[in-house]
């Protein structure tokens, strides 16, 4: 699996993780250009 | 809430933004972690709960007259640093307050073709594994880190951010003039996120064609959608914190920077908004370009330029903020700082379109000190129209 697919899969799993009990807006942060956010960390 | 006071402050800010004289010259704060220090805490100690955070970060407004701010608050937390094994560019210094930026540029000089060919793949397949190899080797650890990142950013920008901005506006009548929209000509993006200071300055001379292609590609990848989408609300304004122009010759500025800079200014002006630009360093060599965009489309935050000269050159055409030099506030006497404030207000206030502020943001303990408080309060009293 290439890294782009891996990262997308990771985000999808987190978005549908029902045990991660946080507001939707919190999960939504991971959809806001996460690769660029990680690069800028 | 003192509605009358808050309305008065807003009316004066609004007058300045419309390039008119209100009843006084508004003061604009550039607060950040130093606000915690003024309240007797470290920035890290404010991250207890939203109310503690808001109360601590706004304490300065009890002592200092402020009408508006650029953004306020913290942009990272120690938990983010910990979750990413300390390998982050923005981290708290040992004083627990100053956020240090330790630039760690990951792209190599021979990787322009990959960046230009497929930016997303280059970032995720090449740069991120170079920075966080474990993110792609240990899925559970990666999930844990991403959860912490999202939770901490949510805390800062939603829970704590709403509490801070609410208290700042409701209790102190201090209006943030910039909102969530950050824009950037892509030479800065290339500098900030990919090549860093030394790489960028070398590339401009050795690989100008690749730099130009990369700038165009980054615009397409990261800016085009924002550019094409009308701003939902024209206020608060968009913000730009550029780094490159001070290091560009006028010719390089025209070639690599100004076309996208002008696009952003024109777009925001057409949307009925304005762009707040920190002229970081000195921009005198390119001031005249800003006469070619709509009047009052830019709010210029004066940094190291001579504010008297800047006001002469652009004060009739755009809105200017500045006048206080943080270094002089720390090192010079109160009397000398107040005399300078008088001279700045005498020169820049007539005609409106001016807000009294600082050249740099307030990031370290001591950036907010009694001299700064006294000068701001003096500027408010002296700057009557």
């Amino acid at each position: 699996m290439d890294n782009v697919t891996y990262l997308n899969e990771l985000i999808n799993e987190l978005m549908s993780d029902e045990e991660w009990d946080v507001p939707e807006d919190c999960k939504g942060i991971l959809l806001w250009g996460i690769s660029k956010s990680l690069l800028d960390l | 809430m003192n509605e009358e006071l808050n309305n008065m402050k807003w009316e004066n800010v609004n007058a300045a933004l419309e390039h008119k004289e209100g009843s006084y010259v508004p003061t604009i704060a550039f607060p950040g972690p130093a606000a915690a220090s003024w309240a007797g805490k470290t920035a890290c100690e404010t991250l207890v709960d939203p109310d503690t955070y808001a109360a601590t970060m706004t304490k300065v407004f009890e002592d200092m007259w402020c009408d508006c701010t650029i953004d306020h608050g913290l942009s990272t937390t120690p938990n983010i640093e910990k979750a990413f094994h300390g390998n982050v560019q923005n981290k708290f210094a040992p004083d627990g307050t100053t956020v240090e930026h330790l630039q760690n540029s990951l792209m190599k000089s021979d990787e322009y073709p990959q960046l230009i060919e497929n930016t997303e793949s280059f970032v995720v397949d090449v740069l991120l594994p170079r920075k966080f190899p474990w993110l792609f080797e240990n899925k559970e650890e990666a999930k844990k880190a991403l959860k912490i990142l999202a939770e901490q950013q949510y805390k800062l920008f939603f829970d704590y951010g709403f509490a801070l901005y609410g208290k700042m506006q409701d209790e102190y009548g201090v209006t943030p003039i910039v909102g969530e929209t950050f824009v950037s000509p892509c030479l800065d993006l290339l500098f900030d996120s990919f090549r860093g200071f030394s790489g960028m300055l070398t590339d401009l001379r050795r690989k100008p064609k690749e730099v130009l292609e990369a700038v165009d590609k980054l615009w397409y990848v990261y800016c085009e959608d924002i550019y094409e989408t009308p701003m939902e609300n024209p206020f608060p304004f968009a913000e730009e914190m550029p780094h490159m122009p001070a290091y560009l010759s006028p010719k390089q500025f025209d070639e690599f920077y100004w076309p996208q800079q002008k696009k952003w200014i024109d777009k925001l002006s057409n949307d009925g908004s304005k762009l707040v630009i920190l002229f970081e360093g000195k921009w005198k060599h390119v001031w005249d370009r800003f006469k070619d965009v709509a009047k009052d489309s830019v709010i210029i935050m004066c940094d190291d330029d001579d504010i008297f000269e800047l006001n002469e050159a652009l004060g009739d055409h755009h809105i200017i903020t500045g006048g206080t030099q943080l270094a002089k506030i720390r090192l010079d006497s109160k009397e000398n700082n107040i005399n300078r404030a008088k001279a700045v207000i005498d020169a820049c206030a007539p005609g409106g379109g001016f807000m009294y502020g600082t050249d740099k943001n307030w990031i370290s303990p001591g950036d907010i000190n009694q001299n700064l408080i006294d000068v701001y309060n003096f500027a408010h009293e002296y700057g009557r129209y």
Side-chain angles (χ1 to χ4, degrees):
Chain A
M1 185 190 302
D2 66 81
N3 285 349
V4 175
T5 311
Y6 167 85
L7 193 60
N8 285 338
E9 196 179 286
L10 200 64
I11 303 296
N12 286 338
E13 285 177 26
L14 286 170
M15 297 303 290
S16 57
D17 180 353
E18 288 178 6
E19 285 176 22
W20 188 24
D21 186 20
V22 291
E24 282 306 305
D25 281 341
C26 177
K27 291 187 177 184
I29 285 173
L30 297 176
L31 300 175
W32 299 348
I34 189 66
S35 60
K36 177 74 166 43
S37 299
L38 290 168
L39 186 64
D40 289 338
L41 267 185
Chain B
M1 182 197 293
N2 183 335
E3 203 170 333
E4 199 179 331
L5 178 75
N6 292 1
N7 287 343
M8 180 185 73
K9 285 187 170 191
W10 169 245
E11 281 165 16
N12 280 282
V13 171
N14 197 38
L17 296 175
E18 291 181 352
H19 216 130
K20 294 175 185 161
E21 293 184 356
S23 57
Y24 63 84
V25 173
T27 54
I28 180 164
F30 207 159
S37 185
W38 179 252
K41 291 183 191 293
T42 68
C44 294
E45 286 169 349
T46 66
L47 297 166
V48 180
D49 58 67
D51 289 342
T52 303
Y53 179 72
T56 311
M57 299 299 271
T58 54
K59 164 79 172 61
V60 61
F61 301 126
E62 286 176 17
D63 304 313
M64 171 192 278
W65 184 280
C66 280
D67 296 285
C68 61
T69 64
I70 304 300
D71 36 17
H72 189 11
L74 304 179
S75 56
T76 190
T77 73
N79 287 341
I80 293 176
E81 180 184 339
K82 207 184 298 173
F84 286 84
H85 303 184
N87 186 19
V88 294
Q89 297 183 100
N90 299 308
K91 53 176 77 178
F92 283 98
D95 65 21
T97 294
T98 310
V99 177
E100 298 177 325
H101 180 72
L102 309 165
Q103 195 171 61
N104 177 18
S105 305
L106 299 162
M107 179 182 155
K108 296 173 184 168
S109 66
D110 60 358
E111 291 176 328
Y112 275 95
Q114 288 166 269
L115 172 76
I116 293 162
E117 171 70 24
N118 186 334
T119 306
E120 177 69 2
S121 160
F122 176 59
V123 168
V124 180
D125 288 328
V126 179
L127 298 185
L128 288 182
R130 201 172 275 168
K131 186 174 187 177
F132 304 120
W134 53 270
L135 203 65
F136 299 91
E137 291 161 0
N138 185 332
K139 201 171 189 180
E140 287 314 304
E141 196 183 2
K143 277 188 182 176
K144 197 174 151 196
L146 289 178
K147 279 183 178 178
I148 291 172
L149 178 65
E151 287 166 6
Q152 293 293 301
Q153 289 191 340
Y154 181 82
K155 179 169 150 176
L156 281 180
F157 302 127
F158 287 80
D159 286 346
Y160 286 47
F162 287 163
L164 170 61
Y165 277 58
K167 192 174 180 72
M168 191 164 80
Q169 290 180 269
D170 294 345
E171 285 192 26
Y172 300 101
V174 177
T175 304
I177 65 164
V178 297
E180 297 166 349
T181 308
F182 281 81
V183 302
S184 181
C186 292
L187 191 68
D188 267 314
L189 219 150
L190 188 60
F191 165 91
D192 286 334
S193 303
F194 294 90
R195 289 291 290 139
F197 189 78
S198 56
M200 197 69 260
L201 292 182
T202 311
D203 297 347
L204 280 166
R205 284 158 184 81
R206 294 187 186 164
K207 298 170 176 283
K209 190 170 162 288
E210 287 93 331
V211 170
L212 260 187
E213 276 182 55
V215 161
D216 284 345
K217 183 62 188 272
L218 292 176
W219 176 274
Y220 174 73
V221 174
Y222 294 117
C223 302
E224 189 72 16
D225 282 352
I226 306 171
Y227 179 77
E228 294 294 343
T229 309
M231 271 188 92
E232 223 167 272
N233 300 303
F235 186 84
F237 305 130
E239 178 179 11
E240 185 184 312
M241 294 283 169
H243 307 298
M244 285 305 296
Y247 302 99
L248 301 175
S249 69
K251 186 170 174 284
Q252 288 173 322
F253 184 83
D254 288 341
E255 189 175 5
F256 297 98
Y257 206 88
W258 179 244
Q260 291 187 357
Q261 178 70 90
K262 186 170 185 306
K263 276 176 90 165
W264 280 126
I265 296 170
D266 290 346
K267 177 252 182 332
L268 292 161
S269 177
N270 291 337
D271 286 351
S273 188
K274 298 180 193 293
L275 179 57
V276 179
I277 307 179
L278 171 63
F279 275 23
E280 188 174 276
K282 293 184 179 178
W283 289 41
K284 185 179 178 180
H285 57 306
V286 296
W287 283 348
D288 60 346
R289 309 315 188 264
F290 290 83
K291 290 177 184 164
D292 294 339
V293 292
K295 185 177 183 313
D296 297 329
S297 54
V298 181
I299 297 166
I300 298 170
M301 300 177 67
C302 179
D303 183 14
D304 292 334
D305 283 310
D306 181 315
I307 197 164
F308 300 99
E309 288 182 7
L310 175 64
N311 182 60
E312 278 289 312
L314 291 175
D316 289 339
H317 201 67
H318 292 299
I319 293 135
I320 291 176
T321 81
T324 324
Q325 293 166 303
L326 270 194
K328 288 199 169 157
I329 286 282
R330 273 174 177 257
L331 301 172
D332 213 345
S333 66
K334 174 180 166 182
E335 187 189 4
N336 285 348
N337 276 300
I338 281 182
N339 286 339
R340 179 178 160 80
K342 267 186 199 172
V344 168
I345 290 169
D346 287 347
C348 301
F354 176 70
M355 296 196 276
Y356 193 80
T358 55
D359 53 350
K360 308 200 188 302
N361 52 354
W362 311 347
I363 56 170
S364 295
D367 281 353
I368 301 175
N369 53 53
Q370 195 57 50
N371 263 3
L372 187 71
I373 303 279
D374 290 342
V375 166
Y376 263 64
N377 291 339
F378 170 80
H380 171 62
E381 290 301 327
Y382 184 75
R384 306 281 164 165
Y385 284 113

